[in-house]
Amino acid sequence: MSASSSPSFANAAWSRLKKNKGAIFGLVIIAIAVLVAVFAYLIAPDPSPHANRIILEIGGEKPGYTKTFVRLPKAIQTPAPGFFNRLINGKPDNYDYIPVNRYRFVGKDSVQLIRFIDESVEDSIVVATHTSTANFEKNNIRKQSFLLGTDKYGRDIYSRIILGTRVSLGVGFITVFISLTIGLMLGSLAGYYRGRTDNIIMWFINVVWSIPTLLLVFAITLALGKGFWQVFVAVGLTMWVNVARTVRGQILVEREKEYVEATRALGYSGYRTIVKHIWPNIMGPVLVIAAANFASAIVIEAGLSFIGIGVQPPQPSWGLMIRDNYNFIITNNPMLALAPGFAIMLLVLAFNLLGNGLRDALHVRGKI
């Protein structure tokens, strides 16, 4: 095997990467995004499934909006989920949240709520406390601030952006996995065996290459249907071509080197030669393309959700949030659409910076 796969090369590449401030910045942002995605329901102020707590009275409020709520138990209560179930799916909302301007206790078992309906519009209702006034005030009255405001349905934008991180990182991960699997396999077969195998695979690659990416995504999405997993697969099946072309080119070079000739002389199979000896020496360019594909997948998923054929409501997606709120850009609350746009921009920038840093650290400039 060549020196590029030795531990000393990996250490040298890591040392060069650490000196690239842009790449380290991107790596830190990606690490934070991963932690946010994993612990989203524990971090989000609204831990209900999909952060979908709808409070129509406070729809379209600006960042920093604060309101007092009275929580009233719903008629049907859902048992509290276990820790891991909550980590994955959130916690069902067992309360109705009523926004109030003020309240006062009436006797020992009732409270009068001056309910907020709209600006300068309010209503009065009386509800039973079923407990002492002190316990009711402690357990059922909450003052909540909405860091990034609320959307037109009164849902917390900050919570939905946190949950949207899962979708963006998920589509990137699945896309990279699918593109690497298909690209490595086809590119390796074409580059190592050449001849008729190479001609057939390159013909197929050129056909796929000639189809516009979005058009191919539309076709696959329409075939598979709309939904969370469908968009992952659709985007992944369109981004393997770059990987396959790069892998083929790299293997065409590597297969002529002495260590590959040695594996043939020792009688190793083509599979073992490719997987155990060639792949470790061509991972530099592949990693750079993987980082670029990750960023592209995030943008494509946001675009698909924006036009309505990606992730479907009520599941939060940054592209879907922009579509639902882009009309607010020219009105009094542009942050409803700008906040998810900034999130997309920051995460895509992080992967592009990391990709550029990997390219320099692994000495693959000009090879892809």
Side-chain angles (χ1 to χ4, degrees), residues 286-352:
V286 172
L287 288 176
V288 175
I289 290 182
N293 282 353
F294 213 116
S296 298
I298 293 172
V299 175
I300 292 175
E301 182 278 324
L304 291 175
S305 296
F306 182 83
I307 62 178
I309 63 174
V311 174
Q312 298 299 298
Q315 190 163 17
S317 162
W318 293 340
L320 191 60
M321 293 171 67
I322 294 175
R323 187 193 73 173
D324 289 342
N325 301 299
Y326 73 92
N327 57 310
F328 286 98
I329 293 178
I330 58 174
T331 59
N332 64 341
N333 197 0
M335 189 54 65
L336 295 180
L338 294 180
F342 287 143
I344 294 171
M345 181 188 70
L346 183 61
L347 195 55
V348 170
L349 176 64
F351 277 102
N352 284 331

Side-chain angles (χ1 to χ4, degrees), residues 265-287:
L266 291 172
Y268 291 169
S269 65
Y271 171 81
R272 176 172 178 176
T273 300
I274 292 171
V275 174
K276 292 193 174 183
H277 301 281
I278 296 181
W279 278 3
N281 291 285
I282 65 171
M283 278 299 122
V286 172
L287 288 176

Side-chain angles (χ1 to χ4, degrees), residues 128-144:
T129 59
H130 301 295
T131 183
S132 67
T133 57
N135 285 337
F136 184 87
E137 192 164 21
K138 177 182 178 182
N139 298 323
N140 296 79
I141 297 177
R142 294 282 188 274
K143 179 176 283 189
Q144 183 175 348

Side-chain angles (χ1 to χ4, degrees), residues 47-123:
S48 64
H50 306 313
N52 194 42
R53 180 185 295 156
I54 296 176
I55 310 174
L56 293 175
E57 295 91 339
I58 59 169
E61 297 293 346
K62 293 183 178 180
Y65 177 75
T66 300
K67 197 65 185 175
T68 300
F69 296 92
V70 174
R71 303 192 312 166
L72 299 180
K74 293 182 178 180
I76 300 177
Q77 296 287 300
T78 304
F83 175 77
F84 288 106
N85 192 13
R86 180 185 175 186
L87 192 68
I88 296 172
N89 300 311
K91 182 173 66 174
D93 234 342
N94 286 325
Y95 293 91
D96 289 318
Y97 284 74
I98 300 177
V100 297
N101 289 332
R102 56 192 180 277
Y103 62 92
R104 69 183 185 90
F105 292 100
V106 181
K108 296 182 179 180
D109 59 356
S110 300
V111 60
Q112 181 184 22
L113 308 177
I114 308 301
R115 186 172 61 178
F116 170 83
I117 298 177
D118 202 348
E119 292 297 331
S120 303
V121 181
E122 56 187 27
D123 186 20

Side-chain angles (χ1 to χ4, degrees), residues 1 40 52 67 148 155 174 188 208 215 219-220 229 295 299 323:
M1 297 177 64
N52 194 42
K67 197 65 185 175
L148 296 177
R155 297 175 298 192
I174 299 297
S188 298
V208 177
L215 183 61
I220 296 174
W229 293 105
V299 175
R323 187 193 73 173

Side-chain angles (χ1 to χ4, degrees), residues 116-304:
F116 170 83
I117 298 177
D118 202 348
E119 292 297 331
S120 303
V121 181
E122 56 187 27
D123 186 20
S124 176
I125 60 173
V126 177
V127 297
T129 59
H130 301 295
T131 183
S132 67
T133 57
N135 285 337
F136 184 87
E137 192 164 21
K138 177 182 178 182
N139 298 323
N140 296 79
I141 297 177
R142 294 282 188 274
K143 179 176 283 189
Q144 183 175 348
S145 294
F146 298 87
L147 183 63
L148 296 177
T150 61
D151 65 9
K152 61 184 178 181
Y153 300 108
R155 297 175 298 192
D156 181 23
I157 288 289
Y158 177 59
S159 296
R160 289 180 66 79
I161 285 181
I162 289 176
L163 266 294
T165 308
R166 284 189 171 185
V167 175
S168 292
L169 288 181
V171 72
F173 177 80
I174 299 297
T175 295
V176 168
F177 176 78
I178 293 175
S179 64
L180 287 182
T181 301
I182 299 176
L184 279 172
M185 181 180 66
L186 293 183
S188 298
L189 292 175
Y192 188 79
Y193 291 105
R194 298 189 299 188
R196 186 177 181 85
T197 302
D198 187 23
N199 292 336
I200 294 173
I201 292 175
M202 284 307 299
W203 173 85
F204 179 59
I205 288 174
N206 289 331
V207 169
V208 177
W209 184 273
S210 67
I211 303 174
T213 300
L214 282 180
L215 183 61
L216 188 58
V217 170
F218 292 159
I220 296 174
T221 302
L222 292 175
L224 297 177
K226 301 177 183 179
F228 182 69
W229 293 105
Q230 288 89 332
V231 70
F232 285 14
V233 176
V235 176
L237 290 176
T238 62
M239 304 192 72
W240 58 268
V241 176
N242 279 340
V243 179
R245 288 168 63 93
T246 299
V247 169
R248 173 184 176 271
Q250 293 293 313
I251 287 185
L252 284 174
V253 174
E254 294 293 322
R255 74 184 305 278
E256 305 301 330
K257 293 185 177 179
E258 293 182 356
Y259 75 93
V260 177
E261 295 290 342
T263 62
R264 294 197 194 102
L266 291 172
Y268 291 169
S269 65
Y271 171 81
R272 176 172 178 176
T273 300
I274 292 171
V275 174
K276 292 193 174 183
H277 301 281
I278 296 181
W279 278 3
N281 291 285
I282 65 171
M283 278 299 122
V286 172
L287 288 176
V288 175
I289 290 182
N293 282 353
F294 213 116
S296 298
I298 293 172
V299 175
I300 292 175
E301 182 278 324
L304 291 175

